[in-house]
Amino acid sequence: MNDLVRQHTALGDTDLEWLHLLVSEWQLLSDLSFADLVLWVPTRDGTRYVSVAQMRPNTGPTSYQDDMVGHLVPRGRRPLLDAALDEGRIVREGDPEWREEVPVRVESIPVRREGRVLGVIARNTNLLTVRTPSRLELTYLQSASDLAQMIAAGSFPFPGQQVDMDASPRVGDGLIRLDADGVVQYASPNGLSAYHRLGLASDLVGHHLGRTTAELAPSRGPVDEALVKLASGYAPREFEVECAGGVIQLRAIPLKPKGVRIGSLVLLRDVTELRRRERELITKDATIREIHHRVKNNLQTVAALLRLQARRMGSAQGREALNEAVRRVGSIAIVHETLSQNLDERVEFDEIADRVIAMVAEISPGRVTCRRTGRFGILDAEVATPLAMVLTEVLQNALEHAFTVGQSGTVEVSAVRGGSSAEARLLITVQDDGCGLPEGFDPQRAGNLGLQIVRTLVEGELSGSFGMVPAPGRGTQVVLDIPVRAEK
């Protein structure tokens, strides 16, 4: 719609905003009218109309099989559009049009904003299935007529009341029509069923909806006056009412076809099961986070016990082995700590990598600087945990064997994500400028425990590849190539 309006019309940004607000609401008008809606806007030179939006009803058959958006029509070809635009009134004159042997009643509703007519809504009703209307259909049509008059007067949609139509109640979910005093004139079967779910034992018609709703909802005081006001439809609001029987979502729409409130339309939906499932998910998420938190605490306890044992160890070799175990346990604890703060089983691994680098850098034998470049991005938990251990082992190996005591140098960890969304890959390079690999060293056969852990995790759990080669110039380069899930 933005492109069509800017390309063909002289409307400004504030006018376009109003049209967007209208289009976000007009499913309501379409469903109440049992009609298709097409929004026509005059072109910049005033000689034609361009259709910028279209809506089909959920309550009846469509009168347009084809998409009308983008069509241009010369002025004069559709007299009802001309009359509505020029005179600023709803135009219903004329005989039905025949489209593919289907009679269609066409009406034109001017779209007004701050005294100016921005465009015209063509309301097209398929008359092929017309029958004697029921009470529900008559209420729908009367409500649609009131909304159409409000659009023509510029009082609908309500400024600052952007509605998410995917989450808000729709006409078919349940509808209640109130008079100016808030008394129910009509309640659809679905609307009545929703109130029965809350505990209402009688009919709604003739009852004051605000007071009835407040009596059904649990409250500390005798009557919740705020709820009475909301459910009476005095202002455009969306709210929920919950009691032991269930939860209903309500949306109040004041009806002011001639500038004076004559009543209200209340759309409502039973969302009891939806809210129950949401609570279950929240409980599940909280439980998972608590599990990660407890695992992290247990791992930190294990690390503390290993440290105590290392201090009592007389053998330097044994003490170093226990310290290595402490770092391995610590890398896993970091992942679980991050997972305990998330709502899902995916983590931003850059933070984990930085903490692992800082933890391993504590064993640096000299003035060795560790740094990270690039971005790991968001990874699944089943990838993050073994990758944290792999990164710990590779860094630990570089700091222990690449530099002598007191030697300065650099260890750089770089990460690059690439590939298509279906086959995304993470390429990790850990490069040092130390003494390099011993002559004849084969990383695939080395008996070092750390390298064995790296090979097992990378090739087994991560389904990736691991290589260790001399770095260009000086030092050693470790390359890890791991398949990952694309970021969302």
Side-chain angles (χ1 to χ4, degrees):
M1 186 166 77
N2 288 354
D3 293 341
L4 288 170
V5 169
R6 287 173 179 146
Q7 180 182 351
H8 295 285
T9 78
L11 298 181
D13 289 342
T14 52
D15 294 330
L16 181 56
E17 244 178 78
W18 184 261
L19 295 184
H20 274 294
L21 192 59
L22 172 66
V23 168
S24 73
E25 293 270 27
W26 71 343
Q27 180 74 64
L28 174 62
L29 177 62
S30 178
D31 290 346
L32 290 172
S33 304
F34 308 98
D36 290 75
L37 306 178
V38 179
L39 177 57
W40 297 93
V41 179
T43 57
R44 192 174 287 104
D45 58 11
T47 61
R48 295 180 296 175
Y49 298 96
V50 59
S51 58
V52 298
Q54 179 179 358
M55 178 57 66
R56 292 184 172 90
N58 293 318
T59 51
T62 183
S63 56
Y64 281 116
Q65 298 301 323
D66 300 325
D67 192 354
M68 294 296 296
V69 175
H71 282 216
L72 290 163
V73 174
R75 184 177 171 87
R77 180 174 294 179
R78 300 196 177 182
L80 297 186
L81 293 182
D82 299 338
L85 183 69
D86 297 339
E87 301 172 23
R89 65 180 179 88
I90 299 175
V91 182
R92 296 191 176 94
E93 297 89 351
D95 297 327
E97 295 181 4
W98 287 83
R99 300 175 189 160
E100 298 179 359
E101 300 184 357
V102 175
V104 176
R105 182 174 64 240
V106 180
E107 303 165 90
S108 294
I109 305 166
V111 177
R112 193 184 303 273
R113 174 182 174 270
E114 296 182 353
R116 294 168 46 242
V117 177
L118 306 182
V120 179
I121 295 175
R123 181 163 55 176
N124 303 269
T125 308
N126 186 324
L127 300 178
L128 197 61
T129 57
V130 169
R131 62 186 185 280
T132 302
S134 64
R135 178 77 189 278
L136 179 143
E137 291 168 332
L138 288 173
T139 303
Y140 276 22
L141 293 171
Q142 180 58 53
S143 302
S145 176
D146 294 335
L147 284 176
Q149 291 182 59
M150 291 170 66
I151 291 172
S155 57
F156 187 84
F158 303 109
Q161 292 288 324
Q162 186 90 28
V163 175
D164 181 2
M165 291 306 297
D166 291 332
S168 294
R170 300 198 175 200
V171 170
D173 295 327
L175 177 144
I176 297 174
R177 173 86 186 216
L178 309 179
D179 64 14
D181 296 323
V183 176
V184 178
Q185 293 180 312
Y186 174 79
S188 72
N190 285 347
L192 188 58
S193 295
Y195 266 82
H196 285 165
R197 184 72 177 264
L198 291 183
L200 181 70
S202 62
D203 195 0
L204 268 174
V205 176
H207 291 265
H208 190 280
L209 186 67
R211 286 194 287 271
T212 301
T213 304
E215 289 168 3
L216 292 172
S219 174
R220 293 180 181 178
V223 176
D224 188 337
E225 292 298 335
L227 185 57
V228 172
K229 199 83 170 173
L230 285 172
S232 299
Y234 286 101
R237 292 287 185 273
E238 194 167 310
F239 57 99
E240 288 187 3
V241 176
E242 180 174 3
C243 66
V247 185
I248 60 172
Q249 181 183 17
L250 299 98
R251 182 189 174 201
I253 303 168
L255 298 175
K256 304 176 181 178
K258 296 182 180 178
V260 178
R261 181 174 167 275
I262 63 167
S264 301
L265 203 60
V266 178
L267 305 180
L268 64 157
R269 176 170 57 185
D270 185 345
V271 293
T272 305
E273 290 305 310
L274 179 63
R275 296 295 176 259
R276 182 185 63 80
R277 288 196 297 270
E278 286 177 352
R279 290 191 185 102
E280 286 179 353
L281 287 174
I282 291 171
T283 303
K284 179 183 175 183
D285 288 339
T287 303
I288 291 172
R289 288 200 299 273
E290 179 62 21
I291 289 170
H292 285 302
H293 183 71
R294 293 189 182 189
V295 169
K296 183 262 297 183
N297 288 344
N298 290 339
L299 289 172
Q300 288 179 337
T301 301
V302 171
L305 292 172
L306 289 173
R307 278 195 206 94
L308 285 173
Q309 187 64 44
R311 290 194 191 105
R312 294 173 177 269
M313 183 71 66
S315 165
Q317 186 177 3
R319 190 161 50 250
E320 181 54 34
L322 287 175
N323 285 331
E324 287 182 4
V326 167
R327 287 189 285 275
R328 288 167 186 148
V329 172
S331 66
I332 302 174
I334 289 171
V335 177
H336 281 283
E337 182 180 3
T338 305
L339 286 168
S340 71
Q341 300 167 0
N342 289 351
L343 293 176
D344 56 18
E345 290 292 289
R346 307 194 78 193
V347 295
E348 179 64 65
F349 196 79
D350 294 319
E351 179 187 349
I352 294 173
D354 290 339
R355 293 180 63 181
V356 167
I357 291 169
M359 177 182 68
V360 177
E362 294 175 0
I363 68 169
S364 172
R367 299 183 299 278
V368 179
T369 302
C370 296
R371 63 169 180 260
R372 173 179 64 86
T373 61
R375 180 173 176 270
F376 288 86
I378 297 174
L379 299 177
D380 294 331
E382 56 265 29
V383 174
T385 302
L387 183 56
M389 283 196 67
V390 167
L391 193 58
T392 301
E393 295 299 331
V394 172
L395 287 169
Q396 194 167 275
N397 189 68
L399 291 172
E400 284 183 354
H401 301 294
F403 305 96
T404 59
V405 177
Q407 182 182 357
S408 63
T410 302
V411 178
E412 182 175 320
V413 179
S414 68
V416 178
R417 290 184 80 135
S420 64
S421 59
E423 298 179 354
R425 303 195 72 82
L426 177 61
L427 184 67
I428 305 166
T429 304
V430 180
Q431 182 170 321
D432 64 69
D433 55 3
C435 59
L437 295 172
E439 187 175 346
F441 179 80
D442 184 358
Q444 298 300 326
R445 296 186 178 181
N448 179 290
L449 176 61
L451 290 180
Q452 289 181 13
I453 291 173
V454 170
R455 284 199 302 270
T456 301
L457 292 177
V458 172
E459 296 171 2
E461 290 199 33
L462 298 174
S463 302
S465 62
F466 158 69
M468 180 181 283
V469 296
R474 181 185 175 189
T476 305
Q477 186 180 77
V478 176
V479 180
L480 309 171
D481 187 0
I482 300 168
V484 293
R485 187 151 62 108
E487 289 186 277
K488 294 182 181 178

